[in-house]
Amino acid sequence: MRRKIAMLLCASMAIGLLAGCGGSSEESKASESKEEKGADTSDKDSGEKVKLTFWKSPHSDREDDIWAGMIEDFNKENPDIEVEFLNVAWDSVVEKETAAFSAGSGPDISFQTEQFPLYAKNGYLLSLDDYADEKKLSGYPESALEYCSHDGKLMGIPFVALNSVMFYNKDMFEEAGVTKVPETWEELREAAKKLTQDKDGDGETDQWGMMYEMDDYWQPLSYIIQAGADMWNKNLTNIGFNNEQGVEGLTFFDQLYHEDQVVLPLEKYTNKDEERSYFYNGQVAMFPQQIHYTNIIKEASDINLGAFALPAGPASDEEHAKWNFANIGMLSISSQTKYPDEAWKFVEYVTRPEVEKIYLSEVGFFSPQLATNDMMYEGDEIMAVAAEGIKKLQVSPASDYANAMLQNLKIMYENVARGEKSPVDSIQAMYDSMKAISGE
């Protein structure tokens, strides 16, 4: 493999989805695809515009408008190509893409994240090794290119990069006398205690130091890895934190909820909008989340917003101690497309630094290309915090069982947050559940 293997994050989907992908071998799918392409009359041959479909799930309420402008510019540069954009909801994208690829009618171009190994394994994605030359790839870190690879073949061009920060309310810090942002777990606990208050004196807490967004699988996991554990075992079939370090990390999370009582309790809200309102209204001081939430928070509130790097854990090595969730999204081409050359033109165009910055700056993401990042967010102190992490982006190994991991992380997180299981029992239950799925 020409690119050095670095730490990755590219989660595949559950075994059940694999069973629903048609059942034929990768070779037969490739053969059928070629025969279909040969039998079809090309739009190019008829003199009509080549029509391409592009599917992506939204990262912004303005997703359609942003892409409409970018596609219009592309079409002007390529008048023989017409791109149709389809905004596919996150909660249905895997189901829809799986069904479409299985039926031989997947999108020509798609935005891929954790689910892409499922499609690559089944032969639904086109290797881009013959399209992306060294000049095109030279601006990407090797870890980003490896993230987008499967079995040594490049399955997509890196398009977005993100990581997490601790958002905080500067005014609440000042009022509580917290003069320094926390850099360690103990400093985080002390700051959170000062920020958790009974403001109206009725004997009930009405201001909390922290909150963790419901359905966010990644932020609580940071403590487990920062304690020195690994996400996966050596075979990538089960968790790697069924050990003392994993228990130490989840115990810290448990202490914040129950011993210190500095985290907004889950029973205080029933949905994300209700939960976020506590931060927007100045009732929660700190909120760990992905960096693109900067725009979401600014659009929803007028709080004096700041951000700092997630406080480091007790692990002996910096790679573990300062871990936070990071990810890369990529643009892929279907192996079923009739027009791979035209699809590549679109992918190549969108991933040019001067073009991709249009989307990224609107949404609040970074690029895996550092050259693009140099063109965005000048003078933005919040984005500057995340930018330092992007330069040394930490991503984690891929596994076919990552979707099961995500679902079990949510169960583990809620079991501890609600006080229904101890950290030890919660981790053991997750280990047993994963073992039942993978057999290891």
Side-chain angles (χ1 to χ4, degrees), residues 51-272:
K51 296 181 180 180
L52 300 174
T53 54
F54 170 38
W55 290 13
K56 183 183 178 300
S57 297
H59 287 102
S60 167
D61 292 339
R62 297 190 57 250
E63 196 82 25
D64 294 271
D65 293 335
I66 299 170
W67 282 108
M70 293 174 66
I71 289 172
E72 182 179 0
D73 291 341
F74 170 78
N75 290 341
K76 287 179 181 177
E77 187 174 306
N78 299 272
D80 57 331
I81 305 174
E82 181 179 325
V83 178
E84 177 186 5
F85 174 69
L86 182 63
N87 186 337
V88 186
W90 284 106
D91 60 3
S92 62
V93 64
V94 174
E95 179 183 357
K96 289 184 177 179
E97 285 185 341
T98 300
F101 283 129
S102 181
S105 57
D108 298 288
I109 306 137
S110 58
F111 178 82
Q112 296 292 337
T113 55
E114 292 90 352
Q115 74 275 13
F116 95 85
L118 169 69
Y119 308 137
K121 178 183 291 187
N122 283 276
Y124 297 146
L125 300 183
L126 183 70
S127 169
L128 301 184
D129 289 329
D130 292 337
Y131 285 97
D133 56 24
E134 290 302 318
K135 180 179 179 181
K136 178 65 178 176
L137 300 180
S138 62
Y140 296 97
E142 290 184 356
S143 59
L145 296 173
E146 193 59 42
Y147 168 88
C148 298
S149 298
H150 182 78
D151 285 344
K153 297 179 180 179
L154 188 66
M155 293 295 165
I157 298 297
F159 180 55
V160 306
L162 61 94
N163 59 3
S164 301
V165 298
M166 183 72 81
F167 293 107
Y168 75 104
N169 186 316
K170 290 184 175 181
D171 292 338
M172 293 178 71
F173 266 52
E174 183 177 352
E175 291 170 6
V178 181
T179 59
K180 174 179 175 293
V181 297
E183 296 181 2
T184 66
W185 281 9
E186 286 310 309
E187 289 179 2
L188 177 64
R189 289 185 74 180
E190 292 307 309
K193 289 175 184 177
K194 290 181 180 180
L195 290 158
T196 301
Q197 302 175 13
D198 172 12
K199 301 288 286 187
D200 58 13
D202 67 353
E204 298 288 336
T205 299
D206 46 32
Q207 174 179 300
W208 290 266
M210 301 178 64
M211 74 180 196
Y212 298 92
E213 186 161 74
M214 63 186 306
D215 296 332
D216 183 347
Y217 319 112
W218 297 112
Q219 303 311 324
L221 181 65
S222 64
Y223 301 128
I224 289 173
I225 297 180
Q226 287 176 352
D230 292 317
M231 185 185 302
W232 293 103
N233 64 8
K234 63 180 181 179
N235 295 326
L236 306 180
T237 54
N238 206 325
I239 60 175
F241 50 87
N242 188 21
N243 50 37
E244 291 182 5
Q245 292 83 6
V247 171
E248 181 182 4
L250 196 57
T251 297
F252 178 70
F253 177 71
D254 182 45
Q255 288 172 333
L256 294 173
Y257 261 101
H258 300 113
E259 181 179 330
D260 300 340
Q261 297 183 11
V262 296
V263 181
L264 178 69
L266 271 62
E267 58 265 23
K268 290 290 184 180
Y269 51 87
T270 60
N271 58 59
K272 287 185 179 182

